[in-house]
Amino acid sequence: MEIVIHGHQVDVTPRLRKSAEYGAQKLADHLNRIELADITFREDGPKKMVDIVVLAPQARLVAKGEGKFHGPALADAVSKLDSQIRKLKSAKKKKITHGAEIRA
């Protein structure tokens, strides 16, 4: 998995970079075969924002997190992506189960 971390008018500290890498790895543990995780840190006045785009063969997932600081904004975005991954997996399981019922 390739992890791209950059800041738009923001200096990304080593600690913030490490947190972003940890969050991307956590997502990779939940969704196999992630090809790319693109994480962008932005700020607009007092509001801090994090955008995460995850590319995998089965889906392209996008989430945005906001907060007073970049750490909570990152956690918010990772949480939203985790929720999307769970829904994706659930829909896939339902499709497989539903297809098996039709054939039987």
Side-chain angles (χ1 to χ4, degrees), residues 27-40:
L27 294 172
D29 291 343
H30 292 232
L31 183 65
N32 296 334
R33 301 182 330 184
I34 289 180
E35 296 169 356
L36 171 72
D38 185 5
I39 304 170
T40 305

Side-chain angles (χ1 to χ4, degrees), residues 1-19:
M1 171 179 63
E2 181 181 354
I3 302 172
V4 179
I5 301 170
H6 46 91
H8 180 70
Q9 299 179 347
V10 174
D11 290 330
V12 180
T13 63
R15 182 176 178 188
L16 196 54
R17 182 174 297 278
K18 187 174 181 180
S19 295

Side-chain angles (χ1 to χ4, degrees), residues 55-103:
L55 299 178
Q58 62 268 44
R60 178 180 187 266
L61 305 173
V62 179
K64 298 174 188 259
E66 294 183 1
K68 194 172 182 179
F69 301 102
H70 282 116
L74 175 65
D76 183 35
V78 169
S79 175
K80 288 176 181 178
L81 275 175
D82 195 40
S83 177
Q84 289 179 33
I85 289 170
R86 277 188 266 119
K87 286 179 185 177
L88 182 69
K89 283 185 161 186
S90 175
K92 188 182 269 189
K93 284 181 183 178
K94 284 181 183 178
K95 184 177 178 182
I96 291 170
T97 303
H98 183 64
E101 292 173 357
I102 291 173
R103 290 184 198 133

